Amino acid sequence: MKTKSYGAIDIGSNAVRLLIKKVSRKESTGEDKFSKILLLRVPLRLGFDVFEKGEISPVKEERMRRLMKAYRHLMKIYEVESFRACATSAMRDAKNGKAIIKKIRKTTGINIEIIDGQEEAQMIYNNHVECREDQNGNYMYVDVGGGSTEVNLLIDGQLVYSKSFNIGTVRILTGGVTEAAWQQMRDEIGRVTKGQNEINIIGSGGNINKLYRLIEKKDKKRKRIPITSLQNIYDKLKVLTPEARMEAFNLKPDRADVIVPASEIFLCIAEVIHASYIYVPEIGLSDGIIDNLYAADKAKELAESK
């Protein structure tokens, strides 16, 4: 495998992303290098339909079909040889999710897989150990999405706990998260981290990356946010309307509303585990999808060489 292009489609509750990466092998060293070729994000906001009405509306179904068709053409243009399309929380909960997937497969050739929260959590973490500052430290990997939050706990560099909670930014905005759900997350995270020292957070998702850019007091060298800085920006954002946030912080409409509940989720988890920092590597589910595809190819290549 000298050069190969991979594609990943991440159908989330707030946005649908297409990531294309190329892997090139250096003949001199035999090492593989990843290059990001394309990243597109379209805010379909499927969760606002699903978490309020239980299903995806005909209008958004048609937009989704058109988007998958466009993504299919783009992958052909960039000569993507291997890809996977994964749908998460909104499509998991949508009554008409499977029917829509069947139509899209027939009209676009894209087979969308609805993955459960456990697989999503593990895939997000997959192959991202190089993003950690301390390979043997204690970290809680937290990915905040529109419909759910995925957490992975690493103790001394080992993955010991993986869980998906139905607490997400869009779900919160649509009134779909009860205090009991919050308490369940606090209790479970508190239980699995009890007795562990110095656990910090590795954050992923569009919101934490945007918060990192907004926050002035941060550690740029290590790319991390002090929890106190996150609390300060949250306090400023919370009192503003989404329109005022757009004006004051130059936010897009589909970011201005979800950024506050995202902050609340990160701050809640940080309080439970007594975290001091959130590290912000730019990684997410789409990266995990491509990592899995690449790992499968490497395993096949190794088997064929024997």
Side-chain angles (χ1 to χ4, degrees), residues 26-38:
K26 286 185 177 181
E27 294 294 342
S28 57
T29 62
E31 294 179 356
D32 291 340
K33 181 183 177 183
F34 282 85
S35 302
K36 186 184 291 185
I37 305 301
L38 180 72

Side-chain angles (χ1 to χ4, degrees), residues 73-265:
H73 284 306
L74 282 167
M75 287 193 291
K76 286 181 180 178
I77 290 167
Y78 285 96
E79 299 180 328
V80 169
E81 298 173 64
S82 181
F83 77 93
R84 188 180 181 193
C86 294
T88 56
S89 189
M91 292 295 284
R92 283 198 293 264
D93 289 6
K95 295 174 186 176
N96 56 346
K98 290 183 180 178
I100 290 172
I101 285 171
K102 189 174 180 181
K103 291 179 189 176
I104 287 174
R105 182 170 60 243
K106 187 176 181 180
T107 57
T108 70
I110 291 179
N111 180 41
I112 298 169
E113 300 173 59
I114 297 178
I115 60 174
D116 62 30
Q118 194 77 1
E119 183 180 359
E120 183 181 357
Q122 292 175 343
M123 197 184 300
I124 288 168
Y125 164 72
N126 183 56
N127 287 350
H128 290 315
V129 290
E130 72 277 4
C131 298
R132 300 206 311 279
E133 180 191 56
D134 177 4
Q135 300 291 311
N136 297 313
N138 296 340
Y139 296 93
M140 179 155 281
Y141 191 105
V142 180
D143 180 80
V144 174
S148 61
T149 292
E150 276 59 56
V151 301
N152 294 270
L153 178 62
L154 296 102
I155 301 298
D156 294 328
Q158 299 299 313
L159 181 64
V160 299
Y161 170 81
S162 185
K163 177 78 173 184
S164 176
F165 295 97
N166 277 341
I167 298 177
T169 58
V170 177
R171 200 183 289 270
I172 290 170
L173 290 173
T174 55
V177 180
T178 64
E179 178 53 40
W182 280 103
Q183 194 58 50
Q184 180 193 1
M185 183 173 75
R186 292 188 197 101
D187 290 346
E188 186 157 347
I189 289 175
R191 177 179 57 80
V192 298
T193 58
K194 187 177 181 181
Q196 299 294 340
N197 297 319
E198 295 184 35
I199 302 175
N200 281 303
I201 294 171
I202 300 173
S204 75
N207 287 296
I208 197 64
N209 280 281
K210 175 57 72 174
L211 286 161
Y212 176 83
R213 290 191 286 271
L214 293 179
I215 290 170
E216 293 180 5
K217 292 184 178 181
K218 58 194 172 189
D219 185 341
K220 292 183 180 180
K221 186 177 180 181
R222 296 179 178 178
K223 203 172 184 190
R224 65 184 189 179
I225 303 169
I227 297 302
T228 52
S229 295
L230 178 58
Q231 184 68 56
N232 288 338
I233 195 73
Y234 167 72
D235 291 340
K236 292 176 183 176
L237 288 164
K238 186 181 180 182
V239 297
L240 301 175
T241 63
E243 293 74 20
R245 291 172 203 153
M246 290 167 59
E247 181 68 26
F249 294 96
N250 193 28
L251 297 174
K252 294 179 180 178
D254 59 288
R255 184 68 68 200
D257 53 359
V258 295
I259 199 166
V260 166
S263 301
E264 291 170 348
I265 295 169

